[in-house]
């Protein structure tokens, strides 16, 4: 049996530490009239935490699972049902073509930046082209994480690095009510990726990297590439069972493979090529099909010019606006070819000599 390494986890919170963290959300003086109510809620939350009631609502997995009698989270089941329904829509030749447009910027004018992002403007340019091509755009604006109450994408916990079958499709790490890790937006986002025939990611460069909202989503999509659709096969999060299952032979299913993609990456000083390349490599690895060289764009807007006038720079840069349109045109063409069965035909169906 493979040894499971231990020793990193922090000590459990004391009752006083838990209280301080719980009450931090109620610091506004307006809450003082309800201190007694808050104390009662805190005690309930403490019991859920100390007893580790991660999933207060469960149901039997039922037919089709390795262990039909295993109690799975009802919230996970609901997410999986949405994904399954989205996959059926994606596969239905009579369904409309859909492209997921991802705004990777963390900036919008609904919070302290006080101004919309150039990323969103480029996304809107692409959206118009898709609509003209009679393709349904689905705009996923990740900047809502900074401007909407309770909107969250929790970080990936790295289950895959313990063993691939420990990582479930969809992710079963959240919600975790014992730790207060709720309102996970990924429960909705998984289905939106699944329903799309293509995705266009529009992103700025933050310190040579993708912005943190985009990276959060990318990390949480690891379950789409090799993830285990049956949490009962590992009795939930049992690392020993997951390791044994991987060592017995794991096929690393690519749950989103066969969709097309385009990229628009922009910056003002450095890093656009590296960031665009990293996104391309990630999508290639997931089994997505690039829509051609004109669908992979990296450009500087207002190179070394002031941040304050960056929107004016975009106004003047008509070539980059047209290049953004070309990304959408290339993706729209790829979707047509993909759904007609002609794009897959040119993709070699080769077995991978190295699993993973």
């Amino acid at each position: 049996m493979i040894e499971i390494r231990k020793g990193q986890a922090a000590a459990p919170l004391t009752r006083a530490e838990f209280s301080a963290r719980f009450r931090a959300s109620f610091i506004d003086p307006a809450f003082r009239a309800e201190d007694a109510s808050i104390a009662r809620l805190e005690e309930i939350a403490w019991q859920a935490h100390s007893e580790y009631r991660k999933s207060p609502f469960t149901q039997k997995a039922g037919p089709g699972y390795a262990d039909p009698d295993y109690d799975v989270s009802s919230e996970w089941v609901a997410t999986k049902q949405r994904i399954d329904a989205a996959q059926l829509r994606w596969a239905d030749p009579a369904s409309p073509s859909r492209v997921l447009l991802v705004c990777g910027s963390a900036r919008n004018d609904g919070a302290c930046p006080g101004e919309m992002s150039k990323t969103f403007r480029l996304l809107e340019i692409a959206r118009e082209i898709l609509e003209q091509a009679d393709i349904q755009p689905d705009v996923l604006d990740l900047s809502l994480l900074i401007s909407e109450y309770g909107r969250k994408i929790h970080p990936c916990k790295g289950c895959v690095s313990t063993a691939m079958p420990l990582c479930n499709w969809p992710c079963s790490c959240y919600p975790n009510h014992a730790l207060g890790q709720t309102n996970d937006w990924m429960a909705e986002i998984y289905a939106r990726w699944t329903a799309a025939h293509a995705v266009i990611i529009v992103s700025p460069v933050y310190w040579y990297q993708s912005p943190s909202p985009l990276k959060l989503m990318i990390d949480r999509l690891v379950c789409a590439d090799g993830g285990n659709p049956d949490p009962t096969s590992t009795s939930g999060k049992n690392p020993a069972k997951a390791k044994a299952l991987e060592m017995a032979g794991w096929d690393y299913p690519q749950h989103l493979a066969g969709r097309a993609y385009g990229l628009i990456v922009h910056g003002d000083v450095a890093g656009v090529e590296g960031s665009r390349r990293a996104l391309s490599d990630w999508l290639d690895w997931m089994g997505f099909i690039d829509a051609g060289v004109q669908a992979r764009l990296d450009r500087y807007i207002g190179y070394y010019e002031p941040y304050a006038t960056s929107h004016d720079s975009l106004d003047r840069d008509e070539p980059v606006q047209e290049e953004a349109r070309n990304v959408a045109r290339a993706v729209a063409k790829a979707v047509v070819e993909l759904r007609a069965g002609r794009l897959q035909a040119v993709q070699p169906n080769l077995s991978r000599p190295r699993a993973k």
Side-chain angles (χ1 to χ4, degrees):
M1 179 179 291
I2 299 173
E3 179 185 358
I4 298 171
R5 313 305 172 95
K6 301 284 189 178
Q8 183 182 353
L13 290 178
T14 66
R15 183 66 177 84
E17 289 171 331
F18 180 88
S19 179
R21 296 189 187 185
F22 181 86
R23 289 177 176 267
S25 296
F26 305 101
I27 196 170
D28 190 314
F31 284 112
R32 297 291 68 78
E34 296 297 334
D35 274 343
S37 300
I38 292 169
R40 289 193 293 271
L41 291 173
E42 179 189 327
E43 182 59 29
I44 294 170
W46 167 250
Q47 293 301 323
H49 174 72
S50 59
E51 297 170 11
Y52 201 72
R53 297 202 299 266
K54 175 187 175 183
S55 302
F57 298 101
T58 61
Q59 62 192 70
K60 298 299 181 184
Y65 287 90
D67 183 356
D69 290 327
Y70 188 83
D71 293 323
V72 294
S73 164
S74 297
E75 291 167 288
W76 181 86
V77 170
T79 300
K80 187 175 188 304
Q81 288 173 342
R82 287 193 294 271
I83 289 175
D84 290 345
Q87 181 68 24
L88 290 175
R89 292 196 302 275
W90 174 83
D92 182 359
S95 70
S97 295
R98 303 174 189 84
V99 172
L100 182 66
L101 285 160
V102 179
C103 179
S105 174
R107 178 165 70 128
N108 72 49
D109 53 316
C112 46
E115 185 176 43
M116 73 189 313
S117 66
K118 295 184 295 299
T119 305
F120 187 76
R121 290 183 59 193
L122 291 167
L123 181 146
E124 286 291 284
I125 289 171
R127 180 183 61 80
E128 291 175 2
I129 296 300
L130 294 174
E131 289 177 339
Q132 292 169 14
D134 199 27
I135 290 177
Q136 288 187 358
D138 178 12
V139 174
L140 174 57
D141 186 356
L142 296 177
S143 75
L144 298 182
L145 288 173
I146 73 158
S147 61
E148 285 195 356
Y149 179 83
R151 182 74 73 182
K152 301 173 185 175
I153 294 179
H154 295 288
C156 176
K157 296 184 178 181
C159 297
V160 62
S161 293
T162 292
M164 188 75 246
L166 199 63
C167 177
N168 295 130
W169 168 250
C171 177
S172 62
C173 294
Y174 304 102
N176 186 322
H177 294 275
L179 297 178
Q181 296 167 340
T182 58
N183 291 332
D184 182 38
W185 198 7
M186 290 304 298
E188 172 194 329
I189 289 173
Y190 288 132
R192 293 171 72 174
W193 274 77
T194 303
H197 298 100
V199 61
I200 298 176
I201 297 176
V202 191
S203 175
V205 174
Y206 289 4
W207 286 116
Y208 293 86
Q209 309 289 336
S210 295
S212 52
L214 179 56
K215 189 59 168 63
L216 280 169
M217 183 188 69
I218 288 171
D219 287 351
R220 292 290 305 285
L221 280 164
V222 66
C223 57
D225 190 74
N228 182 0
D230 185 355
T232 76
S233 65
T234 57
S235 299
K237 291 291 185 177
N238 184 311
K241 287 188 176 182
K243 286 178 182 289
L245 194 56
E246 183 175 41
M247 296 308 295
W250 189 252
D251 61 355
Y252 298 91
Q254 293 185 304
H255 299 288
L256 294 177
R259 289 153 175 85
Y261 78 85
L263 295 169
I264 302 172
V265 177
H266 66 94
D268 53 19
V269 174
V272 294
E273 290 183 349
S275 182
R276 189 268 306 154
R277 190 177 299 115
L279 290 170
S280 294
D281 289 349
W282 166 60
L283 289 162
D284 290 342
W285 187 281
M286 291 245 291
F288 279 64
I289 304 168
D290 76 76
V293 65
Q294 292 198 76
R296 302 189 304 274
L297 179 67
D298 55 70
R299 288 291 182 267
Y300 292 109
I301 300 172
Y303 188 62
Y304 270 100
E305 295 177 4
Y307 293 113
T309 57
S310 63
H311 275 287
D312 297 331
S313 298
L314 177 56
D315 289 340
R316 292 190 300 270
D317 198 340
E318 294 184 5
V320 81
Q321 296 176 38
E322 189 62 21
E323 287 172 321
R325 294 185 184 97
N326 282 342
V327 170
R329 291 176 182 127
V331 169
K333 174 65 173 174
V335 167
V336 171
E337 299 300 309
L338 184 71
R339 301 200 74 192
R342 293 187 291 267
L343 190 58
Q344 295 102 322
V346 300
Q347 302 294 320
N349 185 18
L350 306 175
S351 62
R352 294 183 292 176
R354 298 176 188 268
K356 196 173 178 178

